[in-house]
Amino acid sequence: MLESITPLLSDPAAWAALVTLVVMEVVLGIDNLIFISILSNKLPPEHRQRTRRIGIGLALIMRLGLLATIGWIVGLTAPVFDLGFHGETFDTAFSWRDLILIAGGLFLVWKATKEIHHAVDVTPTNDMLEKDKKDAVLNNVGAAIVQIILLDLVFSVDSILTAVGMTDHVPIMMIAVVFAVLCMLLAADPLANFIDKNPTVVMLALGFLLMIGAVLIADGFGVHVPKGYIYAAMAFSAMVEGLNMLSRRSAARKAAAEQAHQDQLNKAETAEPGV
């Protein structure tokens, strides 16, 4: 391993590829991190951090394991069966990668739709991941970890195949994955806490997951949507929501100041007869 890394240290192209891959892996990891945050926030508070760390740790192990079998991963792009339709923007020659993306996209669409329904309809249900269901904590944690693993697999295959198109050096890919996962680990708790304290952000994040699921399904069918458009839309939506949050906080401060002023006037009026 060291023998393969040492020559790369003096190669500017290798450093450029490493920086590019780290940035790409961090950006691609946002989807995974949002899903992990929403899922872990449905658990009792004392189990959330541990579940997030387990999920992110499993993501690292899975990606490094897949990189160790890079030849097999690349083979996932070979067509498995063909329904015979080939267009410029649509293709029915499906590979294992396509099937994994379609399955992962369907899962994300189903999960995001289900969580949106739960957010809109607050009537308690028998869902395994209901916050108020305290008698099945172990099952809750286990169910969350299983779902995190399923999405880790989808995102890992997608990110690794993207990385293969950028460099042929497996050590560079591994270093980039480790850096990206460390960034995810550092950002996991602040992001999860922020989402948990802002209900409107939860709905926005669920909308992101719904869109990402639709994009994964489209990608599986050969309709390739540039990821730059997706992340630009997400960034714009997040900026608008940030402005809405600032507006609500400003209105709340103004209302509090007006209430304090009114309270002072009421106290002054009450004190006047006794003067």
Side-chain angles (χ1 to χ4, degrees):
M1 184 70 176
L2 290 176
E3 291 78 3
S4 59
I5 294 178
T6 303
L8 299 176
L9 297 177
S10 58
D11 186 359
W15 282 100
L18 176 60
V19 172
T20 304
L21 277 177
V22 169
V23 174
M24 185 202 72
E25 290 288 342
V26 169
V27 172
L28 292 178
I30 294 173
D31 310 338
N32 204 0
L33 198 55
I34 291 174
F35 180 79
I36 291 174
S37 298
I38 292 176
L39 210 57
S40 62
N41 281 347
K42 295 180 71 66
L43 298 170
E46 64 271 18
H47 294 278
R48 294 177 186 177
Q49 186 182 65
R50 180 167 61 93
T51 301
R52 285 193 291 268
R53 290 181 177 179
I54 291 174
I56 295 172
L58 290 174
L60 175 60
I61 294 172
M62 187 176 298
R63 294 187 186 191
L64 292 178
L66 290 174
L67 281 172
T69 58
I70 193 70
W72 177 74
I73 293 295
V74 172
L76 292 178
T77 57
V80 178
F81 62 90
D82 191 346
L83 298 181
F85 182 82
H86 303 280
E88 292 183 2
T89 59
F90 187 80
D91 198 339
T92 57
F94 296 99
S95 64
W96 282 114
R97 172 188 177 272
D98 296 330
L99 297 177
I100 290 173
L101 291 181
I102 291 172
L106 289 172
F107 176 75
L108 262 186
V109 169
W110 168 77
K111 187 65 182 175
T113 303
K114 186 177 179 181
E115 295 300 327
I116 289 173
H117 178 266
H118 285 174
V120 173
D121 182 6
V122 296
T123 304
T125 68
N126 292 322
D127 195 299
M128 288 184 69
L129 289 174
E130 283 291 338
K131 276 186 178 180
D132 298 329
K133 195 171 181 180
K134 302 294 186 180
D135 58 341
V137 172
L138 291 179
N139 288 337
N140 289 353
V141 173
I145 290 175
V146 168
Q147 293 181 64
I148 289 171
I149 290 174
L150 291 176
L151 259 297
D152 279 346
L153 176 62
V154 175
F155 290 128
S156 295
V157 170
D158 192 32
S159 67
I160 288 172
L161 287 173
T162 304
V164 169
M166 300 179 67
T167 182
D168 296 327
H169 303 294
V170 174
I172 290 179
M173 297 182 203
M174 289 187 171
I175 294 172
V177 165
V178 171
F179 270 105
V181 172
L182 287 176
C183 291
M184 288 175 61
L185 195 59
L186 292 173
D189 290 342
L191 177 63
N193 293 334
F194 178 75
I195 289 176
D196 190 49
K197 293 177 181 177
N198 297 275
T200 56
V201 174
V202 174
M203 190 62 70
L204 181 65
L206 289 172
F208 288 163
L209 292 181
L210 197 61
M211 178 175 62
I212 293 164
V215 170
L216 289 177
I217 294 171
D219 199 358
F221 279 96
V223 181
H224 301 293
V225 181
K227 286 186 171 61
Y229 294 161
I230 303 301
Y231 292 112
M234 291 172 64
F236 179 76
S237 301
M239 182 185 70
V240 171
E241 179 59 26
L243 293 175
N244 285 331
M245 292 173 64
L246 289 175
S247 176
R248 288 193 294 269
R249 289 178 183 176
S250 178
R253 285 195 298 267
K254 183 178 179 180
E258 290 177 352
Q259 184 62 44
H261 180 65
Q262 186 62 42
D263 291 342
Q264 289 178 352
L265 291 178
N266 293 338
K267 288 181 181 179
E269 291 176 357
T270 304
E272 282 179 0
V275 177

